[in-house]
Amino acid sequence: MPSRPAGGGAVSAAPPRLVATAGAAALLRRLRDVHGALMMHQSGGCCDGSSPMCYPLGEFIIGDRDVLLGILDLRLAVGEVPVSLPSADLDAVPVWISGSQFQAWKHTQLVLDVVPGRGGGFSLEAPEGWRFLSRARAFTDEENAALEQVPPVVGCDYADGIRPPVPDSGQVVAEAVDACPVPAPPAP
């Protein structure tokens, strides 16, 4: 099995498992300014369906087998490529998913977006008039092969200080369609 970088200093040739729209990043910055450091968990169902849920950092208990999809860097603008992982909790938003749900979604890139509406009852954006929404883009065969060389970080690894590699592409896109384009309909 390939080794994982301990400090997240290595750059990954694999695509990021997570990107966010500019709107999602802006809402996260606003929530951070009110609530402090944040974290997210892609819910697998129950009360709030399968919504991405936003919590104050540490409020949601991560299990040993939960998978870190990525660490959103709130310092980044649209298209900006990170040179390092964010070092301050206020700039870093770890986004998690349960291990079993990851197995169903591992072939897709999660695109964190926002739409008008009321967020999940336990999620910090609930009173903001916006809610987080997960979109997904299927990875290509080549991307899946590259991802196989970079095992995901799980909860017990993260607790031991292991971090994912630094993405080698932008984490923030202007609109969801920039990350997961809708195919054109077939010609008549």
Side-chain angles (χ1 to χ4, degrees):
M1 181 181 257
S3 64
R4 297 182 185 121
V11 174
S12 173
R17 292 190 178 277
L18 171 72
V19 296
T21 63
L27 180 55
L28 285 167
R29 287 183 197 101
R30 201 164 59 240
L31 292 171
R32 174 205 55 201
D33 292 346
V34 173
H35 302 282
L38 304 172
M39 66 182 294
M40 296 192 78
H41 193 275
Q42 173 60 49
S43 172
C46 187
C47 305
D48 291 307
S50 58
S51 303
M53 305 289 282
C54 184
Y55 303 98
L57 184 65
E59 187 172 297
F60 186 91
I61 304 301
I62 298 302
D64 286 349
R65 295 186 179 171
D66 284 350
V67 174
L68 181 66
L69 292 173
I71 300 174
L72 287 175
D73 187 340
L74 297 182
R75 302 171 299 176
L76 300 177
V78 171
E80 195 172 359
V81 178
V83 294
S84 65
L85 293 178
S87 58
D89 282 343
L90 291 177
D91 293 327
V93 180
V95 179
W96 296 89
I97 191 170
S98 73
S100 59
Q101 190 174 2
F102 174 76
Q103 289 305 312
W105 285 42
K106 69 182 177 183
H107 67 284
T108 64
Q109 182 178 61
L110 186 133
V111 180
L112 182 65
D113 197 6
V114 290
V115 294
R118 183 164 157 52
F122 301 112
S123 194
L124 290 176
E125 84 280 6
E128 297 289 323
W130 293 92
R131 67 181 181 94
F132 289 108
L133 178 72
S134 296
R135 300 181 190 275
R137 176 188 69 83
F139 288 124
T140 65
D141 290 342
E142 295 80 18
E143 289 173 320
N144 279 315
L147 286 163
E148 287 178 15
Q149 302 305 309
V150 185
V153 174
V154 295
C156 60
D157 296 334
Y158 195 83
D160 288 340
I162 295 173
R163 298 298 180 263
V166 177
D168 67 352
S169 59
Q171 280 190 312
V172 181
V173 295
E175 301 286 336
V177 70
D178 298 328
C180 51
V182 177

